[in-house]
C-alpha cells in the first residue's frame, strides 16, 4: 500500500511552497514524527514531519523546487505490506514439498475476511485522526469533527471530508475585478546594467496579498499627532530602575500596550469583515511587523491588552529574534486581530500602511521629532510623533476610527494610564 505525502499548508496564507531540502532519500525507512524535509513558506523555512511509518518509495520533486501547490503529492511512502492475493506459502512440519491438491467440488464463494491491521498501525490510526490543515479549518469554522468519517490514510479526516461549500475562486480572490487590470510586465532597459534575483516565496506572497488588500478592501486613513515627551520620560525612569544589564523597555512596547487598550476602549475597530457577517473579537491579538532578510513577517502578541509592558517587551524581543533566525512556527504568526508597523527607528516622519488581510486595522508609527508646539500656553519645543491608522471601511466607519485614534492619543500623552 502506498501513502501519498502532500505539500502541507504550513501557514494560514500559504498556497504554494518551495521544497528547500529533502532530509531523506528513496529507499529510506521513516517513522511517524521523523523530520523528512525543509519547506520554505511565505513566512519562514519549516521542518516537515512524516505522519506515517514506511519506506520512501518515490520523491517527485528535487531540492529547491518552488511553486509547488499546497496539496500536490511530493512523495510516496510504501507501507511494506504483502499483496493480499499472493499470501506466502505455509511450510509443512517436515519441510517436504507439498503434494498437489486433489480437485475439490465447486463451492459458492466465501466472503473475504477483513484485513487484520497490525498493532503498530492500529496505534498510528489512534494517534493520527485529522490532518493539520483540516484541524485548522475546523477550528476556524467551528466544525465538530466527532461525527465525520475520515477518508484519508488510516481513516484520517482530511480537508475534503469537511464538505466545505464551493466558492468561486474569481470572487474569493477578486480576479473577476482584476482581470482587466493585469499589469503588463516589461523587460528591463537593455542599456542599463542589472542583475536578476528570483523572487522568493515570501516576496511573491507579500506582493500578491498586499495587491489584493488595496484592490479589495476600501482603505481610509486617520492621522493623529501625539506629544511623546511624557512617555519618553516615563520610559527613561523605568529603564533606570531596572538596573544595569537588564533588558530595556522600548517606545514600541508602550505603543503595543496603548494600541491594545485603545482597541478595548473602542471595540468597533477590533473586527473583521466577511460577506455575510462582521466578526467582533473579544481579545486583542496584535501582529507586530518585523523586518527580516528578504521581506517581513508579523508574529502575534496574544491578548496584549492584559499583558504588562514588561511582558510585552519580553515577548516582542523573543519573537523578533526567532523571526530573524527563521525559527517562527505557524502558531507564532497565525491569527492577529490588528497590526502595528513602526518605522520610527529608521527616522521616518510618517507611514501610511497597507492593511494586512484579512485584518481591518493597521497602525503605522513614525519617529518622534522635536518641533515647535503649544506647551503650557506658550510655544516651545516638544517631541511629536505621527501615527496613521488604515481602516477597512467595509467594517469600520469614520467616527469609530476617530474615537479609537482619540483614545490612542490620550494614552500616549498620559502614559501612566498605560501602566494602570
Amino acid at each position: 500500500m502506498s501513502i501519498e505525502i502532500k505539500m502541507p499548508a504550513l501557514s494560514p496564507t500559504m498556497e504554494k511552497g518551495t521544497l528547500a531540502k529533502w532530509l531523506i532519500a528513496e529507499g529510506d525507512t521513516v517513522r511517524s514524527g521523523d523530520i523528512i524535509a525543509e519547506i520554505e513558506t511565505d513566512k519562514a523555512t519549516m521542518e516537515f514531519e512524516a505522519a506515517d511509518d514506511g519506506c520512501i518509495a518515490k520523491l517527485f520533486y528535487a531540492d529547491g523546487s518552488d511553486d509547488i501547490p499546497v496539496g500536490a503529492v511530493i512523495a510516496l511512502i510504501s507501507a511494506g505490506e504483502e499483496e493480499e492475493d499472493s499470501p506466502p506459502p505455509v511450510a509443512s512440519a517436515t519441510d517436504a514439498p507439498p503434494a498437489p491438491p486433489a480437485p475439490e467440488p465447486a463451492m459458492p464463494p466465501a466472503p473475504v475476511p477483513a484485513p487484520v491491521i497490525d498493532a503498530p498501525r492500529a496505534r498510528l490510526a489512534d494517534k493520527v485522526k485529522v490532518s493539520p490543515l483540516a484541524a485548522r479549518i475546523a477550528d476556524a469554522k467551528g466544525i465538530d469533527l466527532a461525527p465525520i468519517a475520515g477518508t484519508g490514510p488510516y481513516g484520517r479526516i482530511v480537508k475534503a471530508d469537511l464538505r466545505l461549500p464551493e466558492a468561486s475562486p474569481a470572487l474569493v480572490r477578486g480576479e473577476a475585478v482584476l482581470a482587466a487590470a493585469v499589469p503588463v510586465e516589461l523587460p528591463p532597459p537593455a542599456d542599463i546594467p542589472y542583475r536578476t534575483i528570483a523572487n522568493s516565496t515570501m516576496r511573491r506572497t507579500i506582493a500578491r496579498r498586499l495587491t489584493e488588500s488595496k484592490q479589495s478592501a476600501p482603505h481610509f486613513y486617520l492621522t493623529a499627532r501625539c506629544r511623546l515627551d511624557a512617555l519618553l520620560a516615563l520610559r527613561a525612569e523605568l529603564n533606570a530602575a531596572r538596573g544595569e544589564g537588564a533588558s530595556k523597555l522600548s517606545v514600541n512596547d508602550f505603543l503595543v500596550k496603548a494600541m491594545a487598550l485603545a482597541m478595548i476602549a473602542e471595540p468597533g475597530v477590533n473586527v473583521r469583515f466577511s460577506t455575510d457577517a462582521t466578526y467582533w473579537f473579544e481579545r486583542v491579538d496584535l501582529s507586530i511587523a518585523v523586518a527580516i532578510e528578504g521581506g517581513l513577517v508579523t508574529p502575534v502578541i496574544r491578548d496584549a491588552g492584559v499583558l504588562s509592558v514588561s511582558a510585552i517587551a519580553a515577548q516582542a524581543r523573543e519573537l523578533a529574534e526567532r523571526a530573524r533566525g527563521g525559527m517562527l512556527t505557524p502558531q507564532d504568526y497565525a491569527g492577529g486581530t490588528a497590526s502595528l508597523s513602526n518605522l520610527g527607528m529608521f527616522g521616518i516622519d510618517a507611514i501610511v500602511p497597507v492593511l494586512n488581510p484579512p485584518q481591518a486595522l493597521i497602525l503605522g508609527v513614525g519617529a518622534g521629532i522635536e518641533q515647535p508646539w503649544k506647551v503650557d500656553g506658550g510655544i516651545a519645543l516638544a517631541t511629536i510623533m505621527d501615527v496613521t491608522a488604515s481602516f477597512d471601511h467595509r467594517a469600520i466607519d469614520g467616527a469609530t476610527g476617530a474615537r479609537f485614534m482619540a483614545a490612542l492619543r490620550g494614552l500616549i500623552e498620559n502614559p501612566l494610564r498605560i501602566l494602570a
Side-chain angles (χ1 to χ4, degrees):
M1 173 183 175
S2 293
I3 301 170
E4 296 178 340
I5 301 176
K6 298 181 179 181
M7 173 62 74
L10 297 177
S11 78
T13 59
M14 179 176 169
E15 295 183 356
K16 297 179 181 179
T18 295
L19 205 161
K21 182 180 180 181
W22 283 113
L23 303 179
I24 42 83
E26 292 182 2
D28 287 354
T29 299
V30 297
R31 298 188 63 82
S32 175
D34 289 350
I35 306 299
I36 61 173
E38 294 177 355
I39 294 177
E40 180 186 343
T41 74
D42 54 338
K43 303 290 186 181
T45 298
M46 310 291 296
E47 293 179 337
F48 180 39
E49 299 180 359
D52 303 280
D53 298 348
C55 177
I56 301 298
K58 183 69 175 177
L59 302 179
F60 291 105
Y61 291 90
D63 290 356
S65 300
D66 57 11
D67 286 339
I68 304 174
V70 168
V73 178
I74 57 176
L76 289 178
I77 287 183
S78 172
E81 298 174 329
E82 296 291 343
E83 294 294 329
E84 294 183 1
D85 58 354
S86 302
V90 179
S92 66
T94 60
D95 291 331
E104 297 183 0
M107 298 290 291
V112 178
V116 178
I117 301 177
D118 59 80
R121 287 177 59 195
R123 289 195 298 272
L124 182 61
D126 289 337
K127 177 182 176 183
V128 183
K129 292 294 186 183
V130 57
S131 74
L133 176 59
R136 286 196 295 271
I137 294 173
D139 181 63
K141 295 184 175 293
I143 299 174
D144 182 9
L145 297 177
I148 298 178
T151 61
Y154 308 136
R156 179 190 297 177
I157 298 171
V158 295
K159 178 183 177 183
D161 299 324
L162 303 182
R163 300 188 180 279
L164 301 173
E166 293 293 332
S168 168
L171 294 179
V172 171
R173 301 191 187 98
E175 290 173 359
V177 176
L178 303 180
V182 175
V184 177
E185 297 189 1
L186 299 175
D191 59 339
I192 301 177
Y194 67 91
R195 57 195 178 103
T196 300
I197 300 177
N199 290 326
S200 65
T201 301
M202 178 183 296
R203 177 53 53 192
R204 293 195 301 268
T205 300
I206 291 172
R208 174 181 55 78
R209 295 186 72 231
L210 295 186
T211 298
E212 291 175 0
S213 175
K214 288 291 285 187
Q215 292 175 327
S216 62
H219 291 50
F220 78 93
Y221 313 96
L222 298 176
T223 298
R225 305 184 72 198
C226 307
R227 185 178 174 187
L228 203 56
D229 297 285
L231 190 151
L232 294 175
L234 177 61
R235 170 179 173 260
E237 181 180 347
L238 292 175
N239 281 336
R242 292 167 76 88
E244 291 293 330
S247 58
K248 303 302 182 183
L249 304 176
S250 70
V251 171
N252 200 67
D253 300 328
F254 284 88
L255 294 178
V256 169
K257 178 69 173 183
M259 182 177 177
L261 291 177
M263 293 176 68
I264 292 172
E266 187 52 53
V269 300
N270 195 25
V271 297
R272 177 184 299 178
F273 177 84
S274 71
T275 303
D276 297 323
T278 297
Y279 304 107
W280 288 58
F281 298 110
E282 298 180 355
R283 188 179 79 191
V284 177
D285 288 358
L286 274 185
S287 304
I288 53 174
V290 177
I292 63 173
E293 183 69 26
L296 62 85
V297 291
T298 52
V300 179
I301 297 179
R302 311 284 175 185
D303 211 359
V306 303
L307 297 178
S308 67
V309 175
S310 295
I312 289 172
Q315 283 197 31
R317 185 166 51 254
E318 179 189 1
L319 288 170
E321 290 173 357
R322 289 168 57 194
R324 295 186 181 106
M327 300 299 292
L328 291 178
T329 67
Q331 291 74 24
D332 292 327
Y333 49 77
T337 63
S339 292
L340 187 150
S341 179
N342 186 351
L343 296 181
M345 66 285 294
F346 297 103
I348 298 302
D349 292 358
I351 169 179
V352 181
V354 179
L355 285 170
N356 179 19
Q359 297 173 7
L361 165 62
I362 181 171
L363 185 70
V365 179
I369 301 172
E370 278 197 331
Q371 55 191 275
W373 201 254
K374 185 177 180 180
V375 179
D376 298 329
I379 299 298
L381 286 178
T383 305
I384 306 302
M385 178 180 68
D386 276 24
V387 293
T388 299
S390 302
F391 302 90
D392 184 344
H393 216 331
R394 297 174 301 177
I396 302 173
D397 295 327
T400 304
R403 288 192 296 268
F404 162 76
M405 296 298 285
L408 177 66
R409 178 163 50 194
L411 289 160
I412 292 172
E413 295 186 346
N414 300 276
L416 286 177
R417 293 167 50 193
I418 298 175
L419 303 181

